[in-house]
Amino acid sequence: GINAEYGGDFQLILRNMGDEGQTTQLASNTVLFASYYVTKHSWRGKYKRVMAFGEKSLMTLNPGSSEVTNAWEYYNEITDIKPNAKAPSTEFTLHLKSGKKTSTAVFSSEWRADIITEFFKQLLRVPVPTGCKKEEHKMFQVSKVCPRNDARVPVLFSVGPHCVKHANSSTRKVSATYEFKDLVSVMTFTDAPNTFALITHSTRRYHIFQSEQAK
């Protein structure tokens, strides 16, 4: 993946909601928070694209020319993004709306988990238009289990659209953040009721917690 990071003010001068082949040039001062190589699936065939996260829109770019082939505003034109459970593990779908019309756009990428995580991260950043519901974190009081001494430490556990966090119950200072793209699985234990573990890609570590709301 490209996963490029830039700084500055966003100005997407030109945008185009037309079909493939009708493109506009990406403005030189456009900010992209992250971008990934994808393949777009359509009735015409499959196209190599760069999926780029701008300040106001999710865009697809022609990788050869950097021209914008599509652009969708985060809240106004994208209603959801979902992995395709019955398709190969690389496929995902954007659910779109334009006025009263709805449609979908299907893509595939080896960076699927990163793309879906990044999309929901952007929803927390951009202003929410009138009539749209802002994505928020749900809070839970849980205990973190320390395997070395079997101690239980009370923490504030939050589940958001792109990650889970745990923080100090008193100060609310975040101790750790686990983005969904980095989670292998969430495990429960038959011999330890109300206990669950987050398993991460990087270390394959078990981060164990207990809560009456575990389920």
Side-chain angles (χ1 to χ4, degrees):
I2 304 170
N3 199 15
E5 303 263 349
Y6 303 91
D9 294 327
F10 177 93
Q11 290 186 10
L12 181 58
I13 305 299
L14 299 172
R15 61 186 297 274
N16 188 292
M17 294 299 294
D19 297 330
E20 291 287 340
Q22 296 181 331
T23 60
T24 59
Q25 191 63 41
L26 185 69
S28 59
N29 56 352
T30 297
V31 173
L32 303 181
F33 291 95
S35 52
Y36 302 89
Y37 286 117
V38 302
T39 299
K40 182 175 182 181
H41 301 236
S42 75
W43 63 272
R44 291 192 184 97
K46 296 181 179 180
Y47 303 89
K48 295 296 182 183
R49 291 289 179 257
V50 173
M51 182 166 282
F53 292 87
E55 188 176 52
K56 297 179 181 178
S57 302
L58 174 61
M59 298 169 282
T60 56
L61 313 176
N62 184 315
S65 63
S66 295
E67 289 179 317
V68 180
T69 56
N70 286 101
W72 303 282
E73 292 183 3
Y74 290 116
Y75 276 101
N76 289 329
E77 295 169 317
I78 306 175
T79 60
D80 205 355
I81 181 172
K82 293 181 178 180
N84 294 355
K86 296 182 179 180
S89 60
T90 56
E91 277 194 20
F92 63 97
T93 300
L94 286 179
H95 295 260
L96 309 168
K97 65 177 180 180
S98 178
K100 295 183 178 180
K101 295 182 179 179
T102 61
S103 61
T104 58
V106 179
F107 298 87
S108 60
S109 174
E110 63 178 303
W111 304 100
R112 181 178 75 173
D114 297 68
I115 291 169
I116 294 174
T117 298
E118 184 65 34
F119 174 79
F120 287 108
K121 187 188 298 185
Q122 294 300 320
L123 291 189
L124 294 176
R125 180 188 57 79
V126 300
V128 181
T130 303
C132 293
K133 183 180 179 182
K134 184 175 179 63
E135 297 286 345
E136 296 179 343
H137 285 258
K138 294 181 180 180
M139 303 289 190
F140 304 90
Q141 284 288 347
V142 307
S143 295
K144 189 175 190 327
V145 180
C146 301
R148 290 181 181 178
N149 56 11
D150 203 32
R152 269 63 170 168
V153 179
V155 297
L156 188 63
F157 192 86
S158 66
V159 181
H162 76 285
C163 69
V164 293
K165 303 177 182 180
H166 68 79
N168 184 291
S169 293
S170 301
T171 65
R172 298 208 169 194
K173 182 179 179 180
V174 175
S175 304
T177 299
Y178 312 101
E179 292 193 338
F180 292 135
K181 67 182 178 65
D182 298 322
L183 292 179
V184 176
S185 64
V186 179
M187 179 182 291
T188 57
F189 303 90
T190 56
D191 59 343
N194 301 325
T195 303
F196 65 97
L198 304 179
I199 306 173
T200 53
H201 274 297
S202 56
T203 60
R204 294 281 172 170
R205 244 182 101 187
Y206 285 62
H207 306 274
I208 305 173
F209 302 87
Q210 286 186 331
S211 171
E212 293 181 358
Q213 297 174 290
K215 293 182 180 180

